[in-house]
């Protein structure tokens, strides 16, 4: 059963249904997110821009959040990724979804209104309380090893 998420269209667009994020296939984990631009944006190499989507969502469930991720095809083919690698949308955020896009490629990339520029994935949240300890009751085989400790 699919969870219902409220979505609001914030500005006029001739094809409103395009602005609502959609799954590209039945097996897609992420919904494609489009940008809504007044005019095309020519993104130069190493340039970043904050792009509006024309929509706001309200998750309204403290046990759910969403992340904005780059689209792998855009990233691989053109170097178009997210400036902050990932964006987090909390359950109580109701503002416009903005996408911070970065051109990591070697050529200019022209972004037009309606382009699928990112994807949004919803996931459950586990809230924690920290318990202060002087040592851990169980010692793992990894201990403090990190950042490549297990080799290539």
């Amino acid at each position: 059963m699919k969870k219902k998420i409220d979505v609001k269209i914030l500005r006029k667009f001739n094809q409103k249904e395009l602005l609502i994020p959609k799954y590209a296939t039945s097996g897609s984990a992420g919904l494609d997110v489009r940008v809504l631009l007044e005019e095309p944006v020519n993104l130069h190499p190493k340039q970043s821009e904050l792009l509006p989507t024309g929509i706001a969502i309200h998750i309204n469930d403290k046990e759910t959040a969403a992340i904005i991720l780059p689209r792998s095809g855009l990233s691989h083919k053109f170097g178009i990724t997210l400036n902050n690698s990932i964006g987090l949308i909390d359950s109580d955020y109701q503002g416009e979804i903005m996408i911070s896009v970065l051109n990591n490629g070697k050529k200019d990339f022209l972004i037009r209104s309606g382009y699928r520029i990112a994807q949004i994935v919803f996931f459950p949240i586990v809230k924690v309380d920290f318990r202060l300890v002087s040592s851990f009751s169980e010692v793992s085989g990894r201990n403090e090893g990190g950042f490549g400790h297990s080799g290539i």
Side-chain angles (χ1 to χ4, degrees):
M1 180 194 237
K2 290 183 180 177
K3 182 183 247 344
K4 299 292 184 191
I5 302 291
D6 292 339
V7 61
K8 182 168 56 171
I9 296 176
L10 303 174
R11 287 187 297 287
K12 288 186 178 184
F13 185 66
N14 56 355
Q15 295 175 305
K16 283 188 201 179
E17 67 280 355
L18 276 183
L19 292 180
I20 299 171
K22 292 186 178 43
Y23 294 104
T25 69
S26 62
S28 296
L31 299 105
D32 289 335
V33 177
R34 297 176 186 269
V35 292
L36 181 59
L37 306 170
E38 296 290 324
E39 50 190 63
V41 172
N42 189 22
L43 202 60
H44 304 293
K46 304 304 177 203
Q47 179 186 357
S48 66
E49 286 289 332
L50 190 60
L51 304 177
T53 63
I55 63 168
I57 63 171
H58 184 205
I59 298 170
N60 198 24
D61 175 355
K62 293 178 183 172
E63 295 180 0
T64 303
I67 52 175
I68 301 291
L69 299 167
R71 293 189 62 235
S72 56
L74 283 178
S75 184
H76 177 71
K77 293 176 185 174
F78 306 105
I80 304 302
T81 188
L82 300 185
N83 194 31
N84 54 343
S85 301
I86 191 170
L88 176 65
I89 301 174
D90 296 313
S91 66
D92 55 354
Y93 179 69
Q94 296 180 350
E96 182 171 12
I97 295 176
M98 303 291 286
I99 310 293
S100 182
V101 179
L102 171 67
N103 183 349
N104 242 351
K106 293 179 169 76
K107 298 179 182 176
D108 286 3
F109 187 80
L110 187 65
I111 301 171
R112 296 184 188 279
S113 196
Y115 272 20
R116 295 176 301 145
I117 206 74
Q119 56 186 323
I120 186 170
V121 176
F122 292 85
F123 63 97
I125 294 295
V126 176
K127 299 274 182 155
V128 301
D129 285 320
F130 284 102
R131 178 180 57 217
L132 185 61
V133 297
S134 57
S135 63
F136 297 119
S137 58
E138 257 185 66
V139 177
S140 70
R142 182 175 183 170
N143 285 334
E144 296 175 13
F147 293 105
H149 80 285
S150 60
I152 297 175

